Amino acid sequence: MTTPFVAEHPTDLDLLAQVLTPYKAHCTYLRSAVVVAESAGQAAVRGEFVIPESCYIDDTGHLNSVEVNICYNQMMYYLVAKSIKEGLLTEFESWTLDDFWEHQLPDILIARFAANFRRPVNPRAFSGEMELRSVKRRAPAGEKPFLYVDTAFRYWDGDGDAGRCDGEATLAFVNVP
């Protein structure tokens, strides 16, 4: 996921706090997030995570698929909100942050999610990144338009054997403004 970036936007702590508001306090894993905008109109986010303890199971000692999905959601929500706030993506140029808050939970759907676990990732301190590979507006005959979004993500830690996980997800933004 190395592409030429044009602009880098450091963590907006107020925006991050608002993005994470729907999560239970013990499930707010994303600690910082830097958004980068690329010359081809794409955007990505790099984040730092801490999972002190799993929110649903005894300690496995490694990042698991449920937590991968939660971390993905937190990065994705922040990336979309920051892209709207900064006007980074043409597909979201008509959106306001109020539109995002209204649609964040009910209208942003994961249509497909696949993760590959290469080596165990230490959940106590790890990094991740996610990129929006493409955002396309679709309008099926006789139906409401929606945004179809292809993404890729990866996680890694700083342990000696360097934990690693990566994957892809497809999103559908329905009931778009």
Side-chain angles (χ1 to χ4, degrees), residues 21-41:
T21 296
Y23 290 87
K24 308 248 185 244
H26 67 284
C27 295
T28 56
Y29 303 146
L30 183 60
R31 299 296 193 250
S32 67
V34 174
V35 170
V36 287
E38 185 237 304
S39 57

Side-chain angles (χ1 to χ4, degrees), residues 29 49 51 60-69 71 117 119-124 126-127 155-157 164-165:
Y29 303 146
F49 296 89
I51 301 177
T60 61
H62 59 81
L63 186 65
N64 63 53
S65 61
V66 171
E67 293 156 345
V68 162
N69 196 309
C71 292
F117 293 85
R119 284 187 294 277
V121 174
N122 178 354
R124 303 303 175 252
F126 63 101
S127 302
Y155 302 103
W156 65 95
D157 64 31
R164 201 177 75 171
C165 170

Side-chain angles (χ1 to χ4, degrees), residues 19-103:
V19 163
L20 297 177
T21 296
Y23 290 87
K24 308 248 185 244
H26 67 284
C27 295
T28 56
Y29 303 146
L30 183 60
R31 299 296 193 250
S32 67
V34 174
V35 170
V36 287
E38 185 237 304
S39 57
Q42 294 176 321
V45 61
R46 290 186 308 255
E48 298 299 322
F49 296 89
V50 173
I51 301 177
E53 65 178 330
S54 179
C55 66
Y56 76 100
I57 195 170
D58 286 340
D59 189 9
T60 61
H62 59 81
L63 186 65
N64 63 53
S65 61
V66 171
E67 293 156 345
V68 162
N69 196 309
I70 292 169
C71 292
Y72 171 88
N73 280 342
Q74 291 178 6
M75 276 195 299
M76 179 268 297
Y77 287 144
Y78 183 81
L79 175 57
V80 173
K82 188 67 171 172
S83 294
I84 290 167
K85 183 176 181 179
E86 303 296 335
L88 302 178
L89 300 169
T90 58
E91 294 82 357
F92 293 102
E93 63 189 3
S94 67
W95 285 51
T96 65
L97 278 175
D98 286 338
D99 292 328
F100 175 77
W101 306 131
E102 179 183 339
H103 295 280

